[in-house]
């Protein structure tokens, strides 16, 4: 029986599903189906390129969310990585130690190839790795309902992630916990008035200006969303930061303690050292 006190997480991404669903979320229902031929023919076309940029998936937000449940022991993404719309994500995914599973273009009769391959791998992994405690399924198809149910029967905690408006209710009901990709910390939700790539560019500039501050903010948001508590134990937040970025070290950044590191980012977090346990929370300007 998996040890829930030492959570170990496996993540499976139906990447094509998420890319298409988010494209429809940004540009309107069935937009990807209408633009599919143009995307396949020339993703570099200025108009298509702009639409793709506006619907860019925040890979880091998904992986960081999964990391909040425990140590990632494997992460797999399934797609045709030769397709230009997916190829641009390869370096990001590889940088986050994601195993890219190649699915070659299938004929119409084999349209569920990704679903079947992902499900087979997930079930095999549960028997091969009995210490897995959590399974995160990033998809929206009802085809994954049997997989979610099987994972639960095998004693795993099942987490689902899908795009709002494109996720089958039956899949959400089959999971122990289901969250919308739209609601993950760091993801900019499109609005009818503004459907461009500006939110992604603003986040990228912010992260480049202060990467450790952005990391602290994301960790606090993840902990707060998971526990629904405003004040978080500093030790828990630091542990999550270490899972998000194993190279993190406050001492390497020039701080004597983690509390000192947090205090150096007053626009991101507040510190309460009045008790025996150091507590931190998001600063008002970051909420």
């Amino acid at each position: 029986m998996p040890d829930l006190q030492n959570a170990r997480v496996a993540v499976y991404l139906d990447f094509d599903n998420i890319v298409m669903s988010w494209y429809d979320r940004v540009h309107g229902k069935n937009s990807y189906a209408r633009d599919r031929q143009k995307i396949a023919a020339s993703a570099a076309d200025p108009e298509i390129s702009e639409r793709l940029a506006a619907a860019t998936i925040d890979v880091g937000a998904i992986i960081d969310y999964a990391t909040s449940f425990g140590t990632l022991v494997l992460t797999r993404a399934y797609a045709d990585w030769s397709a230009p719309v997916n190829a641009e994500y390869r370096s990001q995914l590889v940088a986050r130690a994601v195993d890219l599973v190649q699915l070659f273009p299938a004929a119409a009769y084999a349209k569920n190839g990704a679903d079947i391959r992902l499900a087979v791998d997930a079930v095999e992994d549960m028997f091969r790795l009995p210490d897995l405690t959590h399974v995160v399924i990033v998809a929206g198809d009802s085809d994954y309902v049997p997989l979610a149910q099987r994972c639960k029967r095998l004693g795993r905690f099942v987490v689902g992630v899908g795009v709002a408006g494109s996720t089958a209710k039956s899949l959400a009901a089959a999971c122990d916990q289901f969250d919308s990709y739209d609601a993950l910390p760091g993801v900019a939700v499109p609005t009818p008035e503004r459907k461009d790539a500006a939110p992604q560019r603003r986040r990228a500039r912010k992260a480049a200006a202060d990467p450790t501050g952005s990391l602290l903010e994301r960790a606090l948001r993840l902990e707060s969303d998971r526990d629904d508590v405003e004040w978080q134990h500093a030790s828990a937040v630091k542990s999550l930061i270490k899972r998000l970025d194993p190279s993190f070290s406050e001492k390497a950044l020039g701080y004597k303690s983690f509390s000192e590191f947090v205090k150096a980012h007053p626009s991101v977090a507040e510190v309460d050292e009045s008790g025996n346990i150091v507590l931190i929370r998001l600063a008002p300007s970051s909420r």
Side-chain angles (χ1 to χ4, degrees):
M1 187 71 181
D3 179 8
L4 294 176
Q5 297 301 314
N6 298 295
R8 294 171 65 80
V9 185
V11 185
Y12 303 90
L13 299 96
D14 184 340
F15 207 76
D16 282 327
N17 178 281
I18 293 298
V19 167
M20 294 177 190
S21 297
W22 188 240
Y23 191 95
D24 286 351
R25 176 78 168 87
V26 173
H27 298 298
K29 189 175 181 180
N30 297 323
S31 292
Y32 195 91
R34 290 194 295 270
D35 293 346
R36 182 189 296 272
Q37 290 186 341
K38 292 181 181 179
I39 292 172
S42 180
D45 176 86
E47 180 183 355
I48 293 299
S49 178
E50 183 178 349
R51 288 172 70 80
L52 288 171
T56 298
I57 294 292
D58 190 336
V59 172
I62 296 174
I63 297 176
D64 289 350
Y65 169 77
T67 303
S68 71
F69 291 95
T71 301
L72 296 190
V73 295
L74 65 88
T75 307
R76 294 200 178 107
Y78 299 75
D80 176 9
W81 299 108
S82 65
V85 68
N86 296 325
E88 65 180 64
Y89 291 99
R90 286 185 300 195
S91 60
Q92 297 179 52
L93 290 162
V94 171
R96 295 301 299 265
V98 178
D99 181 14
L100 306 184
V101 180
Q102 172 65 33
L103 298 175
F104 293 99
Y109 63 84
K111 68 182 180 64
N112 289 325
D115 308 4
I116 296 171
R117 176 68 183 275
L118 188 156
V120 169
D121 285 352
V123 172
E124 181 181 273
D125 289 336
M126 281 186 286
F127 285 103
R128 184 172 60 88
L129 303 171
D131 59 343
L132 282 180
T133 59
H134 293 66
V135 174
V136 180
I137 303 171
V138 185
D141 292 347
S142 60
D143 297 325
Y144 290 106
V145 170
L147 173 61
Q149 293 172 331
R150 174 59 61 90
C151 292
K152 289 170 72 173
R153 285 200 297 271
L154 291 173
R156 272 61 172 194
F157 187 92
V158 181
V159 180
V161 178
V163 174
S166 299
T167 299
K169 292 182 178 179
S170 56
L171 176 59
C175 297
D176 292 295
Q177 179 175 333
F178 193 94
D179 287 292
S180 168
Y181 166 76
D182 315 43
L184 301 185
V187 173
V189 180
T191 62
E193 293 78 21
R194 190 175 185 86
K195 292 183 178 179
D196 57 21
Q200 288 86 346
R201 289 196 294 268
R202 285 199 297 271
R203 290 200 306 274
R205 285 196 297 268
K206 179 180 178 182
D210 186 1
T212 57
S214 296
L215 184 64
L216 173 62
E217 180 179 353
R218 178 162 284 185
L220 279 168
R221 290 189 186 281
L222 287 167
E223 279 292 304
S224 178
D225 290 349
R226 188 160 65 98
D227 297 335
D228 197 24
V229 176
E230 184 178 10
W231 288 97
Q232 303 291 331
H233 288 195
S235 59
V237 176
K238 181 179 177 179
S239 294
L240 177 53
I241 288 178
K242 290 288 288 182
R243 293 204 301 272
L244 296 176
D245 181 4
S247 68
F248 173 82
S249 169
E250 68 273 13
K251 291 181 173 57
L253 294 170
Y255 302 102
K256 295 181 179 178
S257 66
F258 184 68
S259 295
E260 185 177 314
F261 162 74
V262 176
K263 290 176 184 177
H265 297 84
S267 64
V268 175
E270 297 177 336
V271 181
D272 180 0
E273 297 180 300
S274 61
N276 295 327
I277 299 175
V278 178
L279 300 173
I280 58 178
R281 69 177 179 183
L282 281 169
S285 59
S286 296
R287 294 176 203 165

